[in-house]
Amino acid sequence: MTKFCDKCDAEYDPAAKKCPVCGGKLKEHYTEEELEQIQKENDDFTVVNTLLM
């Protein structure tokens, strides 16, 4: 995961909360692999949750 500033259009460390240049809020951007992993985890959680109900 990386974070980007919409105002400066620059990439920053994932630990940063605000842009060091303009002070704007940073937005998280994920790679395709990270998005696939998140989707798989969500699907696994849904299956377990359904089985327990």
Side-chain angles (χ1 to χ4, degrees):
M1 171 186 66
T2 58
K3 289 189 174 180
F4 286 90
C5 177
D6 286 339
K7 294 180 183 178
C8 299
D9 197 32
E11 180 179 335
Y12 295 101
D13 186 312
K17 293 186 180 187
K18 290 187 176 182
C19 177
V21 176
C22 71
K25 186 176 180 181
L26 300 177
K27 293 189 177 185
E28 297 175 345
H29 291 268
Y30 296 95
T31 64
E32 286 296 319
E33 293 82 21
E34 289 172 325
L35 289 173
E36 289 174 7
Q37 180 65 25
I38 291 168
Q39 183 63 43
K40 183 183 180 310
E41 290 171 3
N42 287 342
D43 290 346
D44 291 348
F45 179 75
T46 300
V47 168
V48 170
N49 198 21
T50 302
L51 290 173
L52 292 175
M53 296 249 170

